[in-house]
Amino acid sequence: MNIFNALMPIIALSMLAQPAAARTSTPPTAPEEEENRGFHGTTAVGVGVIPEYEGADAYRIIPLSNGRAYLDRRYIELDGLALRANLLNNSRIAFGPVAHLTFGRRDRIGSTAVAQLGRINDAYEFGAFVATTLPLGKSGDLRLALEGVHDVAQVHNGWIGTASIGYHRRLSTRWLVSGTASVSGASDDYARRYFTVTPQGSAASGLAAFNARGGIKDVGISVRAAYKVNERWSIQGVAGYKRLLGDFAQSPVVGREGNANQLSGGLGIGFHF
């Protein structure tokens, strides 16, 4: 049993015992805006650029849709490939379920060798998140978050866990910025599905056989900004960098045919209600 598998039950129990929210690409929200009562929120649509698959050095353009709708301090959040629901009406603590989508590998991708390893379907994962928000001054806040999900579609049958720390700050009446640093881990099952090259796969692709094990999967940073055009509309952007680690970076899927340095970004228009 590796370290991550040993820690995963502790992480899961921590998420159930203490409340806090995971990293988010949803446009940053000012602390004072979260204090509003009643129904309100923000939604945004745009375009983004992400790797073809995790570890790829080719990219694809995808539509982006993000948003958060509040009822008092409870909220439902669509955050890229994750859907979260905060069940607590609390200004400092958030806790609730999360559903997540992990893209697989399509038949047609940039790497012919990786394509020979076979198609991988998209994975649907379910779990929980917890987060705590600490005010820093009159216009900023620090957010500590923990999230864990498990595959329920029997694609990789594994766990993914993420811890993050983020800082949000309002620079003026129009500009709102945030930055987030995160670290993610994945189980052996996840690593085997996406990063292992079996002897049969090696014969078909020409890649060296490789048995990937779980552990710390990546570290990443992201920055986001929102410019308020008027009371209803805003322009929002996000840029991110992720570095794959350990077996996830050493696998021939990444080391020979891909890139351990993963970039992403997006630009959209937001509507406040």
Side-chain angles (χ1 to χ4, degrees), residues 22 53-54 152 195 220:
Y53 52 88
E54 191 170 30
V152 295
F195 297 92

Side-chain angles (χ1 to χ4, degrees), residues 17 25 27 38 41 48 53 79 125 137 151 170 172 184 198 203 228-229 242 249 252 267 272:
S25 60
Y53 52 88
D79 172 16
E125 296 124 356
D151 175 31
R170 180 172 290 286
S172 67
S184 296
T198 64
K228 188 176 182 179
V229 178
K242 180 174 74 173
L267 187 64
H272 306 264

Side-chain angles (χ1 to χ4, degrees), residues 2-160:
N2 62 29
I3 294 177
F4 179 76
N5 284 339
L7 290 178
M8 202 60 208
I10 299 174
I11 294 174
L13 288 174
S14 299
M15 290 189 301
L16 294 175
Q18 61 173 308
R23 72 177 187 271
T24 173
S25 60
T26 300
T29 304
E32 63 270 21
E33 292 175 349
E34 294 191 7
E35 297 296 326
N36 291 342
R37 295 292 182 176
F39 181 73
H40 65 287
T42 300
T43 185
V45 294
V47 295
V49 178
I50 62 171
E52 269 191 323
Y53 52 88
E54 191 170 30
D57 61 359
Y59 289 78
R60 59 170 162 163
I61 298 175
I62 62 169
L64 291 182
S65 178
N66 293 305
R68 182 183 287 186
Y70 286 92
L71 181 59
D72 295 331
R73 295 187 178 99
R74 299 181 181 91
Y75 60 80
I76 294 177
E77 173 186 69
L78 177 61
D79 172 16
L81 301 178
L83 180 66
R84 302 182 185 91
N86 173 34
L87 305 179
L88 303 181
N89 190 24
N90 189 293
S91 62
R92 295 291 172 253
I93 293 172
F95 166 76
V98 55
H100 187 267
L101 168 67
T102 293
F103 283 135
R105 288 202 299 258
R106 299 174 295 177
D107 293 321
R108 296 183 179 181
I109 54 178
S111 170
T112 303
V114 175
Q116 295 302 312
L117 298 177
R119 177 187 177 91
I120 299 178
N121 292 329
D122 296 339
Y124 301 95
E125 296 124 356
F126 186 79
F129 78 93
V130 289
T132 184
T133 301
L134 308 173
L136 289 180
K138 295 182 178 180
S139 58
D141 67 77
L142 186 71
R143 190 175 182 84
L144 305 175
L146 190 64
E147 179 172 299
V149 294
H150 187 271
D151 175 31
V152 295
Q154 297 185 336
V155 174
H156 59 77
N157 295 309
W159 279 94
I160 308 169

Side-chain angles (χ1 to χ4, degrees), residues 210-233:
F210 185 83
N211 183 27
R213 299 292 301 275
I216 301 301
K217 182 170 73 70
D218 62 67
V219 294
I221 57 172
S222 65
V223 292
R224 304 172 184 89
Y227 177 76
K228 188 176 182 179
V229 178
N230 54 41
E231 291 302 315
R232 292 292 185 186
W233 297 96

Side-chain angles (χ1 to χ4, degrees), residues 156-181:
H156 59 77
N157 295 309
W159 279 94
I160 308 169
T162 301
S164 64
I165 179 170
Y167 177 67
H168 301 156
R169 183 176 179 84
R170 180 172 290 286
L171 299 180
S172 67
T173 57
R174 292 188 179 274
W175 281 102
L176 188 65
V177 298
S178 70
T180 301

